[in-house]
Amino acid sequence: MQLDLLSALNVERAARRAAVLVTNLKGGEQRLVREADVAADPLGEALQSRLRAGKSGMVEQDGQSFFLTVQEPPVRLVAIGAVHISQALAPLAKIAGLDVTIIDPRTAFATPERFEGVRLVPDWPDAAFAAQPLDRFTAIAALTHDPKIDDLALAGALRADCFYIGALGSRKSHAARLGRLAEQGFDDAALGRIHAPIGLDIGAVSPAEIAVSILGEIIASLRKKPLRSNAPMQAVGSLA
Amino acid sequence: MLSTDDDLLAAAEAWRRAGRGVALATVIETWGSAPRPVGSHLVVDQDGNFLGSVSGGCVEGDVVTEAVDVIEAGTAKVLEFGVADETAWRVGLSCGGRIKVYVEKVA
């Protein structure tokens, strides 16, 4: 691979844009196809289905074999609430390879002493999302128990089509939360995307155990089905 | 693939820019119970230092050796490992799967 091609691939990754590296296995020729240019490429259809599934693989065309390296952005976890569960969730998620950010406007909670080495944003979720937008490669866990904070985050996550949206709270408080979000115009399909009570049902009790159950649920959402496609990809797909 | 790996391609670029000879190995096909998915990378330098994995440890040694050759020769290669393969008895994919690995130089 030429260094400038590798460099271009890394630029796409850093900008959180999907891209595919096409390698002709016979001659070794390579090209980078950015997500925006997929439809115009000779291998357009194959590239599109690979991108949608998020999986690299071989494709045969005109008697030639190509390997498609699908690169999608690193998966992020945004935890809302610099709370006890987040103190366990941040290091666990980091080990699992997620890029972790914690958002909490309550500066008494969001202190570097409590979260060493973790990116902390001491701001309201909507302001934090404006500075660093959510996308479909982001998981959100709303953990503050405070509707003033969590509702803002959940609304933002639903609009950004985050691949995982979880919210802490009992069934009763979740029902109240769904009522508030419905008033904001979210339909049942959108509200059904919120995992609540949050986490896999493993009988978790301690904050660390709950963190494990949340991380398990995030990984299941990530790996058990393809990520939800974003709108432009669906629009292109419907033409085919 | 959707990457939660360490940023191997960024490391490959940094190594190359630092003047090291670098090869990139990529799992391009798997059959049976292969330990690492298609698209997994191993980054190797001319001294055999490496990052990442293509098999969870079973065949990395052979891939690194081949990668060092690729850095010298400059020509990409496809390597195949599996139980039916004689090298498998030597390096072994104990899971019984087969994998194909593409090794290319970062020029």
Side-chain angles (χ1 to χ4, degrees), chain A residues 120-178:
Chain A
L120 276 177
V121 181
D123 207 340
W124 289 86
D126 47 353
F129 300 163
Q132 194 181 23
L134 301 176
D135 55 35
R136 67 189 167 107
F137 306 104
T138 302
I140 286 263
L143 304 171
T144 67
H145 269 307
D146 182 341
K148 284 198 306 299
I149 303 170
D150 282 354
D151 285 9
L152 278 173
L154 295 171
L158 287 170
R159 282 189 207 104
D161 205 15
C162 290
F163 77 91
Y164 172 86
I165 306 171
L168 192 69
S170 65
R171 281 171 215 287
K172 198 174 150 201
S173 65
H174 186 55
R177 169 161 53 216
L178 292 181

Coordinates of all heavy atoms in Angstrom, one line a residue, chain A residues 120-178:
Chain A
L120 N -13.8 13.9 30.1 CA -14.9 14.4 30.8 C -15.4 15.7 30.2 O -14.6 16.6 29.9 CB -14.5 14.7 32.2 CG -14.5 13.6 33.3 CD1 -13.9 14.2 34.6 CD2 -15.8 13.0 33.5
V121 N -16.7 15.8 30.0 CA -17.2 17.1 29.4 C -18.2 17.6 30.5 O -19.3 17.1 30.6 CB -17.9 16.9 28.1 CG1 -18.5 18.2 27.5 CG2 -17.0 16.2 27.1
P122 N -17.8 18.6 31.3 CA -18.7 19.2 32.3 C -19.7 20.2 31.7 O -19.6 21.4 32.0 CB -17.7 19.9 33.3 CG -16.5 20.3 32.4 CD -16.5 19.3 31.2
D123 N -20.6 19.6 30.9 CA -21.6 20.5 30.2 C -22.9 19.8 30.1 O -23.0 18.6 30.3 CB -21.0 20.9 28.9 CG -21.5 22.2 28.4 OD1 -22.6 22.7 28.9 OD2 -20.9 22.8 27.5
W124 N -23.9 20.5 29.7 CA -25.2 19.9 29.4 C -25.1 19.0 28.1 O -24.4 19.4 27.2 CB -26.3 20.9 29.3 CG -26.6 21.6 30.6 CD1 -26.0 22.6 31.1 CD2 -27.6 21.1 31.5 NE1 -26.5 22.9 32.4 CE2 -27.5 22.0 32.6 CE3 -28.6 20.1 31.5 CZ2 -28.3 21.8 33.8 CZ3 -29.4 20.0 32.6 CH2 -29.3 20.8 33.7
P125 N -25.9 17.9 28.0 CA -25.7 17.1 26.9 C -25.9 17.8 25.5 O -25.2 17.5 24.6 CB -26.8 16.0 27.1 CG -27.0 15.9 28.6 CD -26.8 17.3 29.1
D126 N -26.9 18.7 25.4 CA -27.2 19.3 24.1 C -26.0 20.2 23.7 O -25.6 20.2 22.5 CB -28.5 20.1 24.1 CG -28.7 21.0 25.3 OD1 -27.9 20.9 26.2 OD2 -29.7 21.7 25.3
A127 N -25.4 20.9 24.7 CA -24.2 21.7 24.4 C -23.0 20.8 24.0 O -22.3 21.1 23.0 CB -23.9 22.6 25.5
A128 N -22.9 19.7 24.7 CA -21.8 18.8 24.4 C -21.9 18.2 23.0 O -20.9 18.0 22.3 CB -21.7 17.7 25.5
F129 N -23.2 17.8 22.7 CA -23.4 17.2 21.4 C -23.2 18.2 20.2 O -22.8 17.8 19.1 CB -24.8 16.6 21.2 CG -25.2 15.6 22.3 CD1 -26.5 15.2 22.5 CD2 -24.2 14.9 23.0 CE1 -26.8 14.3 23.4 CE2 -24.5 13.9 23.9 CZ -25.9 13.6 24.1
A130 N -23.4 19.4 20.5 CA -23.2 20.5 19.5 C -21.7 20.6 19.2 O -21.3 20.7 18.0 CB -23.8 21.8 19.9
A131 N -20.9 20.4 20.2 CA -19.5 20.5 20.1 C -18.9 19.3 19.4 O -18.0 19.3 18.6 CB -18.8 20.8 21.4
Q132 N -19.4 18.1 19.9 CA -19.0 16.8 19.3 C -20.2 16.0 18.9 O -20.7 15.3 19.8 CB -18.0 16.1 20.2 CG -17.3 15.0 19.5 CD -16.4 14.2 20.4 OE1 -16.6 14.1 21.6 NE2 -15.4 13.5 19.8
P133 N -20.6 16.1 17.6 CA -21.9 15.5 17.3 C -21.9 14.0 17.5 O -20.9 13.3 17.3 CB -22.0 15.8 15.8 CG -21.1 17.0 15.5 CD -20.0 16.8 16.5
L134 N -23.1 13.5 17.8 CA -23.3 12.0 17.9 C -23.5 11.5 16.5 O -23.8 12.2 15.6 CB -24.6 11.8 18.7 CG -24.7 12.3 20.1 CD1 -26.1 12.0 20.6 CD2 -23.7 11.7 21.0
D135 N -23.3 10.2 16.3 CA -23.5 9.6 15.0 C -23.9 8.1 15.2 O -24.1 7.7 16.4 CB -22.3 9.7 14.1 CG -21.0 9.1 14.7 OD1 -21.1 8.1 15.5 OD2 -20.0 9.7 14.5
R136 N -24.2 7.4 14.1 CA -24.7 6.0 14.3 C -23.6 5.1 14.8 O -23.9 3.9 15.0 CB -25.3 5.5 13.0 CG -24.3 5.3 11.8 CD -25.0 5.1 10.5 NE -24.1 5.2 9.4 CZ -23.6 4.1 8.7 NH1 -24.0 2.9 9.0 NH2 -22.8 4.3 7.7
F137 N -22.4 5.5 14.9 CA -21.3 4.6 15.5 C -21.1 4.9 17.0 O -20.1 4.6 17.5 CB -20.0 4.8 14.7 CG -20.2 4.6 13.2 CD1 -20.2 5.7 12.4 CD2 -20.4 3.3 12.7 CE1 -20.4 5.5 11.0 CE2 -20.5 3.1 11.4 CZ -20.6 4.2 10.5
T138 N -22.1 5.6 17.6 CA -22.0 6.0 19.0 C -23.1 5.3 19.8 O -24.2 5.1 19.4 CB -22.2 7.5 19.1 OG1 -21.2 8.2 18.3 CG2 -22.0 8.0 20.6
A139 N -22.7 4.8 21.0 CA -23.6 4.3 22.0 C -23.8 5.3 23.1 O -22.8 6.0 23.5 CB -23.0 3.0 22.6
I140 N -25.0 5.4 23.6 CA -25.3 6.4 24.6 C -25.9 5.6 25.8 O -26.8 4.8 25.7 CB -26.4 7.4 24.2 CG1 -25.8 8.4 23.2 CG2 -27.0 8.1 25.4 CD1 -25.4 9.7 23.8
A141 N -25.4 5.9 27.0 CA -25.9 5.3 28.2 C -26.3 6.5 29.2 O -25.4 7.2 29.6 CB -24.9 4.4 28.9
A142 N -27.6 6.7 29.4 CA -28.1 7.8 30.2 C -28.2 7.3 31.7 O -29.0 6.4 32.0 CB -29.4 8.3 29.7
L143 N -27.3 7.8 32.5 CA -27.2 7.2 33.9 C -27.4 8.2 35.0 O -27.0 7.9 36.2 CB -25.7 6.6 34.0 CG -25.4 5.6 32.9 CD1 -23.9 5.2 33.0 CD2 -26.2 4.3 33.0
T144 N -27.9 9.4 34.8 CA -27.9 10.4 35.9 C -29.1 10.2 36.8 O -29.1 10.7 37.9 CB -28.0 11.8 35.4 OG1 -29.2 12.1 34.8 CG2 -26.8 12.2 34.5
H145 N -30.2 9.5 36.3 CA -31.5 9.5 37.1 C -32.1 10.8 37.1 O -33.1 11.0 37.8 CB -31.2 9.1 38.6 CG -31.3 7.6 38.8 ND1 -32.3 6.8 38.4 CD2 -30.4 6.7 39.4 CE1 -32.1 5.6 38.8 NE2 -30.9 5.5 39.4
D146 N -31.6 11.8 36.5 CA -32.2 13.1 36.5 C -32.8 13.5 35.1 O -32.0 13.6 34.2 CB -31.1 14.2 36.9 CG -31.6 15.6 37.0 OD1 -32.7 15.8 36.5 OD2 -30.9 16.4 37.6
P147 N -34.1 13.5 35.0 CA -34.8 13.8 33.7 C -34.3 15.0 33.0 O -34.2 15.1 31.8 CB -36.2 13.9 34.1 CG -36.4 13.3 35.4 CD -35.1 13.4 36.1
K148 N -33.9 16.0 33.8 CA -33.4 17.3 33.2 C -32.2 17.0 32.3 O -32.1 17.6 31.3 CB -33.0 18.3 34.3 CG -34.1 19.0 35.0 CD -33.5 20.3 35.7 CE -32.3 20.1 36.6 NZ -32.6 19.2 37.8
I149 N -31.4 16.1 32.7 CA -30.2 15.8 32.0 C -30.4 14.6 31.0 O -30.1 14.7 29.9 CB -29.0 15.4 33.0 CG1 -28.8 16.6 34.0 CG2 -27.7 15.1 32.3 CD1 -27.9 16.3 35.2
D150 N -30.9 13.5 31.5 CA -31.1 12.3 30.7 C -32.0 12.5 29.5 O -31.7 12.0 28.4 CB -31.6 11.1 31.6 CG -30.6 10.5 32.4 OD1 -29.4 10.9 32.3 OD2 -30.9 9.6 33.3
D151 N -33.1 13.2 29.7 CA -34.0 13.4 28.6 C -33.4 14.1 27.4 O -33.6 13.8 26.2 CB -35.3 14.2 29.0 CG -36.2 13.4 29.8 OD1 -35.9 12.2 30.2 OD2 -37.4 13.8 30.1
L152 N -32.5 15.1 27.7 CA -31.8 15.9 26.6 C -30.9 14.9 25.9 O -30.8 15.0 24.6 CB -30.9 17.0 27.3 CG -31.5 18.3 27.7 CD1 -30.5 19.1 28.4 CD2 -32.0 19.0 26.4
A153 N -30.3 14.1 26.6 CA -29.3 13.1 26.0 C -30.1 12.1 25.1 O -29.7 11.8 24.0 CB -28.5 12.4 27.0
L154 N -31.2 11.6 25.6 CA -31.9 10.6 24.9 C -32.5 11.1 23.6 O -32.5 10.5 22.5 CB -33.0 10.0 25.8 CG -32.5 9.2 27.0 CD1 -33.6 8.8 27.9 CD2 -31.8 7.9 26.5
A155 N -33.0 12.4 23.7 CA -33.6 13.0 22.5 C -32.5 13.2 21.4 O -32.7 12.9 20.3 CB -34.2 14.4 22.9
G156 N -31.3 13.6 21.9 CA -30.2 13.8 21.0 C -29.8 12.5 20.3 O -29.5 12.4 19.1
A157 N -29.8 11.4 21.1 CA -29.3 10.1 20.7 C -30.3 9.6 19.6 O -29.9 9.0 18.6 CB -29.2 9.2 21.8
L158 N -31.6 9.8 19.9 CA -32.6 9.3 19.0 C -32.5 10.0 17.6 O -32.6 9.4 16.6 CB -34.0 9.4 19.5 CG -34.4 8.5 20.7 CD1 -35.7 8.9 21.4 CD2 -34.5 7.1 20.2
R159 N -32.3 11.3 17.7 CA -32.2 12.1 16.4 C -31.0 11.7 15.7 O -31.0 11.7 14.4 CB -32.1 13.6 16.8 CG -33.5 14.2 17.1 CD -33.5 15.7 17.2 NE -34.5 16.1 18.1 CZ -34.3 16.6 19.4 NH1 -33.0 16.7 19.8 NH2 -35.3 16.9 20.1
A160 N -29.9 11.4 16.4 CA -28.6 11.0 15.7 C -28.6 9.6 15.2 O -27.6 9.1 14.6 CB -27.4 11.4 16.6
D161 N -29.6 8.8 15.6 CA -29.7 7.4 15.2 C -28.5 6.6 15.8 O -27.9 5.7 15.1 CB -29.7 7.3 13.7 CG -30.3 6.0 13.2 OD1 -31.0 5.3 14.0 OD2 -30.1 5.6 12.0
C162 N -28.2 6.9 17.0 CA -27.1 6.1 17.7 C -27.4 4.6 17.7 O -28.6 4.3 17.8 CB -27.0 6.6 19.2 SG -26.3 8.2 19.3
F163 N -26.4 3.8 17.6 CA -26.7 2.3 17.4 C -27.2 1.7 18.7 O -27.8 0.6 18.7 CB -25.5 1.5 16.9 CG -24.4 1.3 17.8 CD1 -24.4 0.1 18.6 CD2 -23.4 2.2 18.0 CE1 -23.4 -0.2 19.5 CE2 -22.3 1.9 18.9 CZ -22.3 0.7 19.7
Y164 N -26.9 2.3 19.9 CA -27.3 1.8 21.1 C -27.7 3.0 22.0 O -27.0 4.0 22.1 CB -26.2 1.0 21.9 CG -26.6 0.7 23.3 CD1 -27.3 -0.5 23.6 CD2 -26.3 1.5 24.4 CE1 -27.7 -0.8 24.8 CE2 -26.7 1.2 25.7 CZ -27.4 0.0 25.9 OH -27.8 -0.3 27.2
I165 N -28.9 2.9 22.6 CA -29.4 4.0 23.5 C -30.0 3.3 24.7 O -30.9 2.5 24.6 CB -30.5 4.8 22.8 CG1 -30.0 5.4 21.5 CG2 -30.9 5.9 23.8 CD1 -31.2 6.1 20.7
G166 N -29.3 3.5 25.9 CA -29.8 2.8 27.1 C -30.1 3.9 28.2 O -29.4 4.9 28.2
A167 N -31.0 3.6 29.0 CA -31.4 4.6 30.1 C -31.6 3.8 31.4 O -32.4 2.9 31.5 CB -32.6 5.4 29.7
L168 N -30.9 4.3 32.4 CA -31.1 3.8 33.8 C -32.4 4.2 34.3 O -32.9 5.3 34.1 CB -29.9 4.3 34.6 CG -29.7 3.7 36.0 CD1 -29.2 2.3 35.8 CD2 -28.7 4.5 36.8
G169 N -33.0 3.3 35.1 CA -34.3 3.7 35.8 C -35.2 2.5 35.9 O -35.1 1.6 35.0
S170 N -36.1 2.6 36.8 CA -37.1 1.5 37.0 C -38.1 1.5 35.8 O -38.1 2.5 35.1 CB -37.9 1.7 38.3 OG -38.6 2.9 38.2
R171 N -38.9 0.5 35.7 CA -39.9 0.5 34.7 C -40.9 1.6 34.9 O -41.3 2.2 33.9 CB -40.7 -0.9 34.8 CG -40.0 -2.0 34.2 CD -40.7 -3.4 34.4 NE -39.6 -4.4 34.6 CZ -38.9 -4.9 33.5 NH1 -39.1 -4.4 32.3 NH2 -38.0 -5.8 33.7
K172 N -41.2 2.0 36.1 CA -42.1 3.1 36.4 C -41.5 4.4 35.9 O -42.2 5.2 35.2 CB -42.4 3.2 37.9 CG -43.6 3.9 38.2 CD -43.9 3.8 39.7 CE -44.7 5.1 40.2 NZ -44.6 5.3 41.6
S173 N -40.2 4.7 36.3 CA -39.7 6.0 35.8 C -39.4 6.0 34.3 O -39.5 7.0 33.7 CB -38.4 6.3 36.6 OG -37.4 5.3 36.3
H174 N -39.2 4.8 33.7 CA -39.1 4.7 32.3 C -40.4 5.0 31.6 O -40.4 5.7 30.6 CB -38.6 3.4 31.8 CG -38.3 3.3 30.3 ND1 -37.4 4.2 29.7 CD2 -38.8 2.5 29.3 CE1 -37.4 4.0 28.4 NE2 -38.2 3.0 28.2
A175 N -41.5 4.6 32.2 CA -42.8 4.9 31.6 C -43.1 6.4 31.6 O -43.5 6.9 30.6 CB -43.9 4.1 32.3
A176 N -42.7 7.0 32.7 CA -42.9 8.5 32.7 C -42.0 9.2 31.7 O -42.4 10.1 31.0 CB -42.5 9.0 34.1
R177 N -40.8 8.6 31.5 CA -39.8 9.2 30.6 C -40.4 9.1 29.2 O -40.3 10.0 28.4 CB -38.5 8.4 30.7 CG -37.5 8.7 29.6 CD -36.1 8.3 30.1 NE -36.0 7.0 30.5 CZ -35.2 6.6 31.5 NH1 -34.5 7.4 32.2 NH2 -35.2 5.3 31.9
L178 N -40.9 7.9 28.8 CA -41.5 7.7 27.5 C -42.6 8.7 27.2 O -42.7 9.2 26.1 CB -42.0 6.3 27.3 CG -41.0 5.2 27.3 CD1 -41.6 3.8 27.1 CD2 -39.9 5.4 26.2

